[in-house]
Structures are given as C-alpha cells and as structure tokens.
Amino acid sequence: MNYIKGMDISSYREMLDKGYEYFDEFGNTVDILDYAVEKGFNYARIRIWNSPSNIPESGGYCSLDETIKLAKRIKEIGIPYLLDFHYSDWWADPGNQNKPKDWEYLHGRELMDAVYEYTKDVLDTLADNDVSPSMVQVGNEIRCGMLWPDGSSEDFRTLAKLINAGIKGVRESKGGEAIQIMLHLDQGGRYHYYEKWFDVVMRNGVEDFDIIGLSYYPFWHGTYQDLDETLNKLEERYHKDLIVAEVAYAHKLGDDSLFGKGQERLGGLPASEDGQYEALKIISGIINGVNNNRGKGFFYWEPFMRADNSSFWGYCMGIVDSEGKPLKTLTMMNSSFPIGADEARNMYSKLRYSDDCSEPINGINIISKPEIVDNLDNWNYSNPHNVSYKTEQVDGIDTFSFQGKGNVYFTLHQPVQVYESGDYSLVVEYKGDNTTGVCVKPFIKFADYRREINIYPSDKLWTRGIIDISIEEGTLVDVGIEVDSPEIKGQIRNIGLYLRS
C-alpha cells in the first residue's frame, strides 16, 4: 500500500449543487477532484447514511443512490476509496450514534441481522455498479459505541456482536474478501482509550479487521507527541496497520464554537495558511515514522467543504480559501507530504503551549464556601449514575476529578447572594479531554436570565473560563459549570464569583 494522502469528499456533490466554484493557483476554473488528484491526493473517503431522507437537514445526501454517483465519479478520477458506514440516518460520532429510523425498534438478533444485511446489500449494489470500495469502515468514531442504546460502550458484549455483524456483511459481499476493514475511533492522541477499547472488543470476539483508524484533530485530541506515542504503542500491541482517518486544521479563525483563539492555543500553531500546512506536515511525518512501516497515511476531513457562516466547518477548516482558490496545503500536497519522522519530531518539539491559568484572578471571591472537598456539601451536584468522581488536592488546590462511562451529563453549581452592586467575573478552571460533542460550559443565572461560555479543554493544561457581568445588590445568582459530553474524564477547580469593582 502506497502512503495514503486521502480526502473525505462526502460533501462534493452538495457543494456543487450550492453553486460553489473552485480554481487553480492561476485563477482558472477547475473540477476540484481532478485538480486534487493532479496535486497529489491518491485516495478518497465517503460516508453513507442509511435513509437520510428521514432527516430534512441532511438534504438527502450520502444515501445509497448518492454514494453510487459519487463512487462513479471517484472511479473516473482513477483512485480507490474508503466507504464509511455510519449506521445512522445522519451524523454518527462520539456524541451521536442514533439508530436509523427503520431499525428503531430492533434489538438483539434482529438488529444484528439488519446490520449484516444492510452492509452486504450496499456492497453488493456497489459491486453490481462496478464501483466497489477498497476499504470499509464498520462504524464511524465508535469509541462510545454504535446503534445506541443497544451498542453503547457500556455493553461491550453487544457492541462486539454488532461490529462482527458488519464485518460479516463485508466479508460475504461480492468481492468482500479483498476489502480492507477499518475500525475507527476518535481521541487519536489518547492511547488509554484505544487500549481499553480494543482489548475489550477483541476479548469479545472481534478479530477480523485490518486497520485501526484514528481521528486526530490537534485542537481536540492531544498534542502531536501524544499522537506519536499512541500510534507506536498501538502498533506494538496490536500489530495492525494504522491510518489517521480524519485530520484537519484551520487556515483562519472562525467562530469560537468551531475554531477560535481557544482552539488555536491548544493546536500549537496559528490559524493561518502556513499554520495549517505545518500542522499537516507534522502529522504526516508522525504517521510515516510508525514502527514496522505500519503508518499508512491520512484522510483530510472535508477539504473542499465551503461555508459563509463562521461557525460552520467549511468557513475555515478546508484547504481552499473563501473564494475556492487552493491553499498551500493543497498546492504542495504532492511534494510536501509525508515528511520524515525525525523532521516531524523536531518540528513539534519546538512548539510551546501556553497555560492561560497562570495569571492571578483579580477581585474578591464572594462565594462564602467555594471549597470543593469531601462530599460536596457546599455544592449542588446532579450525580449521574455513570460518572465517578473524587475530590482531591491537585497542585495544592481543591479539585473535582471525574470520569464518565458512556455519555456524560452533570452540573456542579452553588447559589450565591450578592450584597453589593458592581462588576463581577465568574471564573472556572478546567482540564480534560476534548473531542466531537464535548460541551463544557461555565454558567451564571438568575430569574429568567442565563449566561454561559464554552471552555475548549486540554488534558495537559488548565483552561480558564470567565464571564464578566454586572449584578445588582440583593440578587440571588446560581453559578457553576455544566458538562455534556461523550465519554471523557476531566477536572474542575477554582469556581469563584469575583467582585472587580
């Protein structure tokens, strides 16, 4: 297998239908797929949803009919493709693994049979159209499971059976023995999740797969060194080929909900054309340096998606600019990727990540009992059954440390009486995992009013969330933090409401 420089082009037809045009570096109109292959992309990736017509927001894209059309276009440009089964009518990711509507009431053997038959039927239909994939994902980012609630990661036995049903569907389809099978998780820089997951599913009988796929976004999934260590530990333990099935970096700042200053700080490089190019160079070299030549390449996620709204992916995460002209990452694809492992390690060793909690907090904390100790006597905690926690001293500071099993939702908050009108700052400090669907929100509310902000966490450095607000004397406010996320672990400290003036 040649080093894969892949592109997820699932939205290609949607972008054309919306009227977006693409250009080469000289300003000439191009078909972006022809141009991408000319510049060095050598593999495609496309997702398939069961019945997207059930979800109006999907626009009907990524159906089987649309997949056939796109697969034929891929065949025209002469490259292989990876087919990504979501086993859902719309997005499947760590925070969303919803059953297709047609399978809503299926359980046990009936659900396994549905997975098998659907997988086989799709691949048979593609074979009949002479557009079979070379590689298949059985599920998308399934660290937290698939086909919830049956296949939740809280029930690995059932999850393993559903994965094996999909694998069987691949193998028994037309030409299925020649198709490589990938199992794909998020959190590409956090080895402990992979070891736990693969050890358990393999112990439950999942064996017939070829590739471990990882999502790795530097602003979510740990440092470049974390990715380097994860890939090599996976190779040593499982002896499987490894592909970063999703990767991307911003070429400009977008909305804070997508890629703002917080994500840029965690990503280690500026949100710029050069920053994006450097990020992919580092990642390509890390993959290229995996022991025993097991690092097989990457897929850039939706490099040609376009959007005018700064909170949407296509606004800042692709490798074309807002006018559709190619950025450096695209024009240099053939000549720059992959670099060598030593060069990549030299590049990431020079990066410095700043801790934004190093500055002192200004003002007087008016929370009378802010300590996070013992049984949380001072705090209201929603105490979900699937979240374990402890209160501990970390670096000499009272800290709430938690770990979820399955999807996580909780609040930690306290009512505070304000006795003096003035300008206040709610401050919360947080450290923990991040990925698709993680939502960590400090909040302040009183009467019918609520303010909140998003924290974009790192598992290495503390992140400080601050809400500035004017409050009148006599107001009873509720201050705290809300965590709504796929399975993660994290820490909370220094919750305070500070009078600044």
Side-chain angles (χ1 to χ4, degrees), residues 22-65:
Y22 298 88
F23 304 91
D24 64 17
E25 60 266 49
F26 307 110
N28 302 307
T29 303
V30 295
D31 181 285
I32 192 60
L33 298 191
D34 290 331
Y35 182 72
V37 171
E38 175 190 324
K39 289 299 176 183
F41 277 109
N42 58 16
Y43 221 111
R45 177 181 188 248
I46 57 176
R47 61 182 168 266
I48 184 167
W49 295 328
N50 285 45
S51 298
S53 57
N54 290 326
I55 309 293
E57 296 90 337
S58 74
Y61 293 101
C62 302
S63 66
L64 177 55
D65 287 344

mmCIF file of all heavy atoms in Angstrom, residues 22-65:
data_model
loop_
_atom_site.group_PDB
_atom_site.id
_atom_site.type_symbol
_atom_site.label_atom_id
_atom_site.label_comp_id
_atom_site.label_asym_id
_atom_site.label_seq_id
_atom_site.Cartn_x
_atom_site.Cartn_y
_atom_site.Cartn_z
ATOM 1 N N TYR A 22 -14.495 26.284 -7.942
ATOM 2 C CA TYR A 22 -13.130 26.071 -7.467
ATOM 3 C C TYR A 22 -12.150 26.465 -8.569
ATOM 4 O O TYR A 22 -12.458 26.356 -9.770
ATOM 5 C CB TYR A 22 -12.924 24.606 -7.077
ATOM 6 C CG TYR A 22 -13.821 24.168 -5.943
ATOM 7 C CD1 TYR A 22 -15.099 23.663 -6.175
ATOM 8 C CD2 TYR A 22 -13.395 24.284 -4.619
ATOM 9 C CE1 TYR A 22 -15.924 23.270 -5.133
ATOM 10 C CE2 TYR A 22 -14.221 23.897 -3.567
ATOM 11 C CZ TYR A 22 -15.475 23.393 -3.837
ATOM 12 O OH TYR A 22 -16.296 23.011 -2.795
ATOM 13 N N PHE A 23 -10.968 26.895 -8.138
ATOM 14 C CA PHE A 23 -9.986 27.439 -9.072
ATOM 15 C C PHE A 23 -8.603 26.880 -8.767
ATOM 16 O O PHE A 23 -8.315 26.459 -7.642
ATOM 17 C CB PHE A 23 -9.955 28.970 -8.965
ATOM 18 C CG PHE A 23 -11.301 29.609 -9.176
ATOM 19 C CD1 PHE A 23 -12.152 29.844 -8.107
ATOM 20 C CD2 PHE A 23 -11.722 29.952 -10.452
ATOM 21 C CE1 PHE A 23 -13.400 30.417 -8.295
ATOM 22 C CE2 PHE A 23 -12.969 30.519 -10.656
ATOM 23 C CZ PHE A 23 -13.813 30.749 -9.568
ATOM 24 N N ASP A 24 -7.747 26.882 -9.784
ATOM 25 C CA ASP A 24 -6.352 26.515 -9.541
ATOM 26 C C ASP A 24 -5.588 27.753 -9.074
ATOM 27 O O ASP A 24 -6.164 28.837 -8.912
ATOM 28 C CB ASP A 24 -5.715 25.869 -10.765
ATOM 29 C CG ASP A 24 -5.622 26.799 -11.974
ATOM 30 O OD1 ASP A 24 -5.743 28.043 -11.796
ATOM 31 O OD2 ASP A 24 -5.418 26.298 -13.092
ATOM 32 N N GLU A 25 -4.292 27.607 -8.867
ATOM 33 C CA GLU A 25 -3.496 28.716 -8.326
ATOM 34 C C GLU A 25 -3.363 29.876 -9.296
ATOM 35 O O GLU A 25 -2.929 30.977 -8.912
ATOM 36 C CB GLU A 25 -2.114 28.216 -7.890
ATOM 37 C CG GLU A 25 -1.285 27.595 -8.982
ATOM 38 C CD GLU A 25 -1.438 26.082 -9.054
ATOM 39 O OE1 GLU A 25 -2.581 25.598 -9.056
ATOM 40 O OE2 GLU A 25 -0.396 25.396 -9.112
ATOM 41 N N PHE A 26 -3.754 29.652 -10.562
ATOM 42 C CA PHE A 26 -3.673 30.710 -11.568
ATOM 43 C C PHE A 26 -5.026 31.376 -11.828
ATOM 44 O O PHE A 26 -5.138 32.233 -12.695
ATOM 45 C CB PHE A 26 -3.117 30.139 -12.878
ATOM 46 C CG PHE A 26 -1.818 29.403 -12.691
ATOM 47 C CD1 PHE A 26 -1.773 28.021 -12.820
ATOM 48 C CD2 PHE A 26 -0.654 30.082 -12.363
ATOM 49 C CE1 PHE A 26 -0.587 27.334 -12.631
ATOM 50 C CE2 PHE A 26 0.546 29.396 -12.172
ATOM 51 C CZ PHE A 26 0.570 28.022 -12.306
ATOM 52 N N GLY A 27 -6.038 30.932 -11.097
ATOM 53 C CA GLY A 27 -7.363 31.527 -11.254
ATOM 54 C C GLY A 27 -8.247 30.859 -12.281
ATOM 55 O O GLY A 27 -9.353 31.352 -12.569
ATOM 56 N N ASN A 28 -7.810 29.726 -12.824
ATOM 57 C CA ASN A 28 -8.620 29.005 -13.809
ATOM 58 C C ASN A 28 -9.641 28.119 -13.102
ATOM 59 O O ASN A 28 -9.315 27.468 -12.095
ATOM 60 C CB ASN A 28 -7.728 28.127 -14.696
ATOM 61 C CG ASN A 28 -6.682 28.938 -15.423
ATOM 62 O OD1 ASN A 28 -7.005 29.921 -16.092
ATOM 63 N ND2 ASN A 28 -5.416 28.540 -15.287
ATOM 64 N N THR A 29 -10.855 28.061 -13.610
ATOM 65 C CA THR A 29 -11.878 27.185 -13.050
ATOM 66 C C THR A 29 -11.474 25.729 -13.241
ATOM 67 O O THR A 29 -11.018 25.328 -14.317
ATOM 68 C CB THR A 29 -13.233 27.437 -13.732
ATOM 69 O OG1 THR A 29 -13.577 28.816 -13.586
ATOM 70 C CG2 THR A 29 -14.329 26.584 -13.084
ATOM 71 N N VAL A 30 -11.639 24.925 -12.176
ATOM 72 C CA VAL A 30 -11.294 23.507 -12.241
ATOM 73 C C VAL A 30 -12.393 22.682 -11.593
ATOM 74 O O VAL A 30 -13.175 23.185 -10.781
ATOM 75 C CB VAL A 30 -9.956 23.208 -11.510
ATOM 76 C CG1 VAL A 30 -8.790 23.880 -12.210
ATOM 77 C CG2 VAL A 30 -10.025 23.616 -10.040
ATOM 78 N N ASP A 31 -12.466 21.399 -11.970
ATOM 79 C CA ASP A 31 -13.193 20.444 -11.154
ATOM 80 C C ASP A 31 -12.252 20.072 -10.009
ATOM 81 O O ASP A 31 -11.134 19.604 -10.236
ATOM 82 C CB ASP A 31 -13.571 19.198 -11.948
ATOM 83 C CG ASP A 31 -14.364 18.217 -11.086
ATOM 84 O OD1 ASP A 31 -13.734 17.557 -10.229
ATOM 85 O OD2 ASP A 31 -15.582 18.125 -11.248
ATOM 86 N N ILE A 32 -12.708 20.280 -8.799
ATOM 87 C CA ILE A 32 -11.807 20.185 -7.657
ATOM 88 C C ILE A 32 -11.260 18.773 -7.461
ATOM 89 O O ILE A 32 -10.133 18.598 -6.983
ATOM 90 C CB ILE A 32 -12.484 20.695 -6.362
ATOM 91 C CG1 ILE A 32 -11.460 20.880 -5.243
ATOM 92 C CG2 ILE A 32 -13.623 19.783 -5.940
ATOM 93 C CD1 ILE A 32 -10.359 21.873 -5.570
ATOM 94 N N LEU A 33 -12.000 17.747 -7.867
ATOM 95 C CA LEU A 33 -11.485 16.378 -7.697
ATOM 96 C C LEU A 33 -10.368 16.092 -8.695
ATOM 97 O O LEU A 33 -9.342 15.499 -8.342
ATOM 98 C CB LEU A 33 -12.613 15.358 -7.838
ATOM 99 C CG LEU A 33 -13.736 15.453 -6.807
ATOM 100 C CD1 LEU A 33 -14.632 14.218 -6.901
ATOM 101 C CD2 LEU A 33 -13.199 15.607 -5.393
ATOM 102 N N ASP A 34 -10.554 16.496 -9.941
ATOM 103 C CA ASP A 34 -9.477 16.336 -10.925
ATOM 104 C C ASP A 34 -8.221 17.064 -10.454
ATOM 105 O O ASP A 34 -7.105 16.535 -10.519
ATOM 106 C CB ASP A 34 -9.912 16.890 -12.284
ATOM 107 C CG ASP A 34 -10.984 16.053 -12.948
ATOM 108 O OD1 ASP A 34 -11.026 14.834 -12.703
ATOM 109 O OD2 ASP A 34 -11.789 16.613 -13.709
ATOM 110 N N TYR A 35 -8.419 18.284 -9.994
ATOM 111 C CA TYR A 35 -7.289 19.107 -9.561
ATOM 112 C C TYR A 35 -6.601 18.501 -8.336
ATOM 113 O O TYR A 35 -5.367 18.483 -8.240
ATOM 114 C CB TYR A 35 -7.793 20.520 -9.253
ATOM 115 C CG TYR A 35 -6.723 21.484 -8.828
ATOM 116 C CD1 TYR A 35 -5.791 21.981 -9.740
ATOM 117 C CD2 TYR A 35 -6.643 21.917 -7.506
ATOM 118 C CE1 TYR A 35 -4.807 22.882 -9.345
ATOM 119 C CE2 TYR A 35 -5.657 22.820 -7.104
ATOM 120 C CZ TYR A 35 -4.747 23.298 -8.025
ATOM 121 O OH TYR A 35 -3.779 24.185 -7.625
ATOM 122 N N ALA A 36 -7.397 17.981 -7.393
ATOM 123 C CA ALA A 36 -6.826 17.406 -6.168
ATOM 124 C C ALA A 36 -5.945 16.196 -6.481
ATOM 125 O O ALA A 36 -4.878 16.025 -5.885
ATOM 126 C CB ALA A 36 -7.942 17.017 -5.205
ATOM 127 N N VAL A 37 -6.391 15.344 -7.408
ATOM 128 C CA VAL A 37 -5.583 14.186 -7.795
ATOM 129 C C VAL A 37 -4.308 14.647 -8.502
ATOM 130 O O VAL A 37 -3.210 14.118 -8.262
ATOM 131 C CB VAL A 37 -6.405 13.234 -8.679
ATOM 132 C CG1 VAL A 37 -5.523 12.136 -9.261
ATOM 133 C CG2 VAL A 37 -7.543 12.612 -7.872
ATOM 134 N N GLU A 38 -4.443 15.654 -9.356
ATOM 135 C CA GLU A 38 -3.262 16.201 -10.028
ATOM 136 C C GLU A 38 -2.238 16.709 -9.020
ATOM 137 O O GLU A 38 -1.021 16.557 -9.203
ATOM 138 C CB GLU A 38 -3.703 17.354 -10.946
ATOM 139 C CG GLU A 38 -2.570 18.109 -11.618
ATOM 140 C CD GLU A 38 -3.066 19.362 -12.312
ATOM 141 O OE1 GLU A 38 -4.188 19.338 -12.869
ATOM 142 O OE2 GLU A 38 -2.338 20.369 -12.293
ATOM 143 N N LYS A 39 -2.716 17.269 -7.898
ATOM 144 C CA LYS A 39 -1.828 17.842 -6.905
ATOM 145 C C LYS A 39 -1.272 16.803 -5.922
ATOM 146 O O LYS A 39 -0.377 17.123 -5.136
ATOM 147 C CB LYS A 39 -2.529 18.961 -6.141
ATOM 148 C CG LYS A 39 -2.738 20.214 -6.979
ATOM 149 C CD LYS A 39 -1.389 20.780 -7.431
ATOM 150 C CE LYS A 39 -1.528 21.968 -8.335
ATOM 151 N NZ LYS A 39 -0.212 22.447 -8.816
ATOM 152 N N GLY A 40 -1.822 15.579 -5.926
ATOM 153 C CA GLY A 40 -1.201 14.546 -5.106
ATOM 154 C C GLY A 40 -2.117 13.710 -4.237
ATOM 155 O O GLY A 40 -1.661 12.732 -3.624
ATOM 156 N N PHE A 41 -3.403 14.048 -4.124
ATOM 157 C CA PHE A 41 -4.309 13.169 -3.390
ATOM 158 C C PHE A 41 -4.463 11.856 -4.155
ATOM 159 O O PHE A 41 -4.597 11.839 -5.381
ATOM 160 C CB PHE A 41 -5.683 13.822 -3.221
ATOM 161 C CG PHE A 41 -5.766 14.787 -2.065
ATOM 162 C CD1 PHE A 41 -5.856 16.147 -2.284
ATOM 163 C CD2 PHE A 41 -5.753 14.322 -0.758
ATOM 164 C CE1 PHE A 41 -5.939 17.045 -1.220
ATOM 165 C CE2 PHE A 41 -5.839 15.208 0.317
ATOM 166 C CZ PHE A 41 -5.927 16.575 0.081
ATOM 167 N N ASN A 42 -4.443 10.735 -3.417
ATOM 168 C CA ASN A 42 -4.456 9.432 -4.090
ATOM 169 C C ASN A 42 -5.500 8.471 -3.535
ATOM 170 O O ASN A 42 -5.487 7.281 -3.874
ATOM 171 C CB ASN A 42 -3.069 8.790 -4.034
ATOM 172 C CG ASN A 42 -2.566 8.595 -2.595
ATOM 173 O OD1 ASN A 42 -3.338 8.659 -1.637
ATOM 174 N ND2 ASN A 42 -1.271 8.359 -2.445
ATOM 175 N N TYR A 43 -6.398 8.948 -2.668
ATOM 176 C CA TYR A 43 -7.421 8.084 -2.076
ATOM 177 C C TYR A 43 -8.587 8.976 -1.664
ATOM 178 O O TYR A 43 -8.386 10.132 -1.260
ATOM 179 C CB TYR A 43 -6.869 7.374 -0.837
ATOM 180 C CG TYR A 43 -7.251 5.919 -0.660
ATOM 181 C CD1 TYR A 43 -6.297 4.905 -0.797
ATOM 182 C CD2 TYR A 43 -8.550 5.549 -0.318
ATOM 183 C CE1 TYR A 43 -6.621 3.569 -0.604
ATOM 184 C CE2 TYR A 43 -8.881 4.216 -0.122
ATOM 185 C CZ TYR A 43 -7.917 3.224 -0.274
ATOM 186 O OH TYR A 43 -8.241 1.902 -0.085
ATOM 187 N N ALA A 44 -9.802 8.467 -1.761
ATOM 188 C CA ALA A 44 -10.993 9.208 -1.331
ATOM 189 C C ALA A 44 -11.662 8.480 -0.171
ATOM 190 O O ALA A 44 -11.441 7.285 0.051
ATOM 191 C CB ALA A 44 -11.977 9.377 -2.479
ATOM 192 N N ARG A 45 -12.470 9.204 0.547
ATOM 193 C CA ARG A 45 -13.287 8.648 1.631
ATOM 194 C C ARG A 45 -14.674 9.263 1.513
ATOM 195 O O ARG A 45 -14.801 10.476 1.325
ATOM 196 C CB ARG A 45 -12.669 8.974 2.989
ATOM 197 C CG ARG A 45 -13.469 8.500 4.222
ATOM 198 C CD ARG A 45 -12.727 8.938 5.479
ATOM 199 N NE ARG A 45 -13.268 8.413 6.722
ATOM 200 C CZ ARG A 45 -13.869 9.167 7.657
ATOM 201 N NH1 ARG A 45 -14.041 10.470 7.476
ATOM 202 N NH2 ARG A 45 -14.294 8.612 8.786
ATOM 203 N N ILE A 46 -15.709 8.426 1.612
ATOM 204 C CA ILE A 46 -17.080 8.934 1.563
ATOM 205 C C ILE A 46 -17.915 8.219 2.612
ATOM 206 O O ILE A 46 -17.696 7.056 2.912
ATOM 207 C CB ILE A 46 -17.716 8.788 0.168
ATOM 208 C CG1 ILE A 46 -17.710 7.342 -0.311
ATOM 209 C CG2 ILE A 46 -17.016 9.682 -0.835
ATOM 210 C CD1 ILE A 46 -18.417 7.128 -1.646
ATOM 211 N N ARG A 47 -18.853 8.933 3.192
ATOM 212 C CA ARG A 47 -19.738 8.370 4.209
ATOM 213 C C ARG A 47 -21.058 7.953 3.566
ATOM 214 O O ARG A 47 -21.479 8.501 2.546
ATOM 215 C CB ARG A 47 -19.992 9.375 5.332
ATOM 216 C CG ARG A 47 -20.647 10.657 4.889
ATOM 217 C CD ARG A 47 -20.827 11.643 6.051
ATOM 218 N NE ARG A 47 -21.195 12.971 5.534
ATOM 219 C CZ ARG A 47 -20.327 13.936 5.285
ATOM 220 N NH1 ARG A 47 -19.037 13.739 5.495
ATOM 221 N NH2 ARG A 47 -20.726 15.103 4.803
ATOM 222 N N ILE A 48 -21.706 6.996 4.204
ATOM 223 C CA ILE A 48 -23.033 6.589 3.765
ATOM 224 C C ILE A 48 -23.965 6.561 4.969
ATOM 225 O O ILE A 48 -23.622 6.028 6.029
ATOM 226 C CB ILE A 48 -23.014 5.223 3.041
ATOM 227 C CG1 ILE A 48 -24.414 4.888 2.509
ATOM 228 C CG2 ILE A 48 -22.450 4.102 3.906
ATOM 229 C CD1 ILE A 48 -24.445 3.728 1.526
ATOM 230 N N TRP A 49 -25.128 7.197 4.808
ATOM 231 C CA TRP A 49 -26.194 7.182 5.812
ATOM 232 C C TRP A 49 -27.315 6.275 5.313
ATOM 233 O O TRP A 49 -27.583 6.197 4.106
ATOM 234 C CB TRP A 49 -26.725 8.593 6.043
ATOM 235 C CG TRP A 49 -25.718 9.534 6.643
ATOM 236 C CD1 TRP A 49 -24.717 9.213 7.510
ATOM 237 C CD2 TRP A 49 -25.628 10.948 6.433
ATOM 238 N NE1 TRP A 49 -24.010 10.333 7.856
ATOM 239 C CE2 TRP A 49 -24.536 11.418 7.217
ATOM 240 C CE3 TRP A 49 -26.350 11.869 5.673
ATOM 241 C CZ2 TRP A 49 -24.170 12.756 7.249
ATOM 242 C CZ3 TRP A 49 -25.986 13.211 5.711
ATOM 243 C CH2 TRP A 49 -24.905 13.646 6.493
ATOM 244 N N ASN A 50 -27.971 5.598 6.248
ATOM 245 C CA ASN A 50 -28.982 4.616 5.848
ATOM 246 C C ASN A 50 -30.115 5.242 5.035
ATOM 247 O O ASN A 50 -30.330 4.892 3.877
ATOM 248 C CB ASN A 50 -29.559 3.913 7.079
ATOM 249 C CG ASN A 50 -28.609 2.901 7.678
ATOM 250 O OD1 ASN A 50 -27.420 3.168 7.831
ATOM 251 N ND2 ASN A 50 -29.119 1.729 8.026
ATOM 252 N N SER A 51 -30.878 6.124 5.652
ATOM 253 C CA SER A 51 -32.018 6.777 4.977
ATOM 254 C C SER A 51 -32.019 8.254 5.336
ATOM 255 O O SER A 51 -32.845 8.710 6.142
ATOM 256 C CB SER A 51 -33.343 6.119 5.393
ATOM 257 O OG SER A 51 -33.383 4.761 5.025
ATOM 258 N N PRO A 52 -31.114 9.033 4.760
ATOM 259 C CA PRO A 52 -31.032 10.453 5.114
ATOM 260 C C PRO A 52 -32.300 11.231 4.793
ATOM 261 O O PRO A 52 -32.510 12.313 5.348
ATOM 262 C CB PRO A 52 -29.834 10.961 4.313
ATOM 263 C CG PRO A 52 -29.640 9.964 3.221
ATOM 264 C CD PRO A 52 -30.070 8.657 3.778
ATOM 265 N N SER A 53 -33.166 10.672 3.934
ATOM 266 C CA SER A 53 -34.442 11.344 3.643
ATOM 267 C C SER A 53 -35.294 11.487 4.900
ATOM 268 O O SER A 53 -36.213 12.317 4.942
ATOM 269 C CB SER A 53 -35.213 10.571 2.569
ATOM 270 O OG SER A 53 -35.431 9.229 2.981
ATOM 271 N N ASN A 54 -35.005 10.691 5.928
ATOM 272 C CA ASN A 54 -35.728 10.821 7.200
ATOM 273 C C ASN A 54 -35.312 12.070 7.985
ATOM 274 O O ASN A 54 -35.990 12.440 8.946
ATOM 275 C CB ASN A 54 -35.480 9.591 8.084
ATOM 276 C CG ASN A 54 -36.145 8.346 7.555
ATOM 277 O OD1 ASN A 54 -37.224 8.416 6.969
ATOM 278 N ND2 ASN A 54 -35.518 7.189 7.747
ATOM 279 N N ILE A 55 -34.187 12.683 7.598
ATOM 280 C CA ILE A 55 -33.646 13.832 8.322
ATOM 281 C C ILE A 55 -33.581 15.013 7.350
ATOM 282 O O ILE A 55 -32.683 15.077 6.506
ATOM 283 C CB ILE A 55 -32.228 13.547 8.873
ATOM 284 C CG1 ILE A 55 -32.202 12.230 9.646
ATOM 285 C CG2 ILE A 55 -31.741 14.710 9.731
ATOM 286 C CD1 ILE A 55 -32.984 12.224 10.926
ATOM 287 N N PRO A 56 -34.525 15.952 7.434
ATOM 288 C CA PRO A 56 -34.553 17.052 6.460
ATOM 289 C C PRO A 56 -33.231 17.813 6.359
ATOM 290 O O PRO A 56 -32.823 18.229 5.263
ATOM 291 C CB PRO A 56 -35.675 17.953 6.998
ATOM 292 C CG PRO A 56 -36.568 17.045 7.772
ATOM 293 C CD PRO A 56 -35.662 16.016 8.379
ATOM 294 N N GLU A 57 -32.521 17.971 7.495
ATOM 295 C CA GLU A 57 -31.271 18.733 7.480
ATOM 296 C C GLU A 57 -30.186 18.071 6.628
ATOM 297 O O GLU A 57 -29.216 18.728 6.240
ATOM 298 C CB GLU A 57 -30.748 18.905 8.911
ATOM 299 C CG GLU A 57 -31.647 19.716 9.821
ATOM 300 C CD GLU A 57 -32.660 18.866 10.561
ATOM 301 O OE1 GLU A 57 -32.979 17.755 10.090
ATOM 302 O OE2 GLU A 57 -33.132 19.325 11.621
ATOM 303 N N SER A 58 -30.326 16.789 6.359
ATOM 304 C CA SER A 58 -29.304 16.080 5.578
ATOM 305 C C SER A 58 -29.320 16.467 4.110
ATOM 306 O O SER A 58 -28.334 16.234 3.393
ATOM 307 C CB SER A 58 -29.501 14.571 5.699
ATOM 308 O OG SER A 58 -30.623 14.160 4.921
ATOM 309 N N GLY A 59 -30.445 17.001 3.651
ATOM 310 C CA GLY A 59 -30.577 17.309 2.233
ATOM 311 C C GLY A 59 -30.674 16.082 1.355
ATOM 312 O O GLY A 59 -30.645 16.191 0.123
ATOM 313 N N GLY A 60 -30.770 14.907 1.975
ATOM 314 C CA GLY A 60 -30.833 13.675 1.196
ATOM 315 C C GLY A 60 -29.487 13.187 0.697
ATOM 316 O O GLY A 60 -29.407 12.165 -0.003
ATOM 317 N N TYR A 61 -28.404 13.893 1.060
ATOM 318 C CA TYR A 61 -27.079 13.468 0.612
ATOM 319 C C TYR A 61 -26.597 12.248 1.403
ATOM 320 O O TYR A 61 -27.109 11.944 2.473
ATOM 321 C CB TYR A 61 -26.080 14.614 0.755
ATOM 322 C CG TYR A 61 -26.378 15.762 -0.180
ATOM 323 C CD1 TYR A 61 -27.020 16.913 0.274
ATOM 324 C CD2 TYR A 61 -26.045 15.691 -1.530
ATOM 325 C CE1 TYR A 61 -27.314 17.960 -0.590
ATOM 326 C CE2 TYR A 61 -26.335 16.728 -2.402
ATOM 327 C CZ TYR A 61 -26.976 17.860 -1.930
ATOM 328 O OH TYR A 61 -27.265 18.899 -2.789
ATOM 329 N N CYS A 62 -25.621 11.553 0.841
ATOM 330 C CA CYS A 62 -24.983 10.387 1.461
ATOM 331 C C CYS A 62 -25.914 9.171 1.531
ATOM 332 O O CYS A 62 -25.681 8.242 2.306
ATOM 333 C CB CYS A 62 -24.439 10.714 2.852
ATOM 334 S SG CYS A 62 -23.239 12.055 2.861
ATOM 335 N N SER A 63 -26.955 9.166 0.728
ATOM 336 C CA SER A 63 -27.794 7.971 0.564
ATOM 337 C C SER A 63 -27.062 6.960 -0.316
ATOM 338 O O SER A 63 -26.002 7.261 -0.881
ATOM 339 C CB SER A 63 -29.120 8.354 -0.089
ATOM 340 O OG SER A 63 -28.885 8.803 -1.430
ATOM 341 N N LEU A 64 -27.645 5.789 -0.477
ATOM 342 C CA LEU A 64 -27.032 4.793 -1.356
ATOM 343 C C LEU A 64 -26.982 5.290 -2.794
ATOM 344 O O LEU A 64 -25.962 5.144 -3.484
ATOM 345 C CB LEU A 64 -27.790 3.466 -1.278
ATOM 346 C CG LEU A 64 -27.294 2.353 -2.211
ATOM 347 C CD1 LEU A 64 -25.805 2.071 -2.004
ATOM 348 C CD2 LEU A 64 -28.120 1.076 -2.010
ATOM 349 N N ASP A 65 -28.070 5.906 -3.280
ATOM 350 C CA ASP A 65 -28.067 6.426 -4.651
ATOM 351 C C ASP A 65 -26.977 7.478 -4.838
ATOM 352 O O ASP A 65 -26.264 7.486 -5.856
ATOM 353 C CB ASP A 65 -29.434 7.018 -4.997
ATOM 354 C CG ASP A 65 -30.505 5.956 -5.204
ATOM 355 O OD1 ASP A 65 -30.141 4.773 -5.381
ATOM 356 O OD2 ASP A 65 -31.705 6.308 -5.181
#
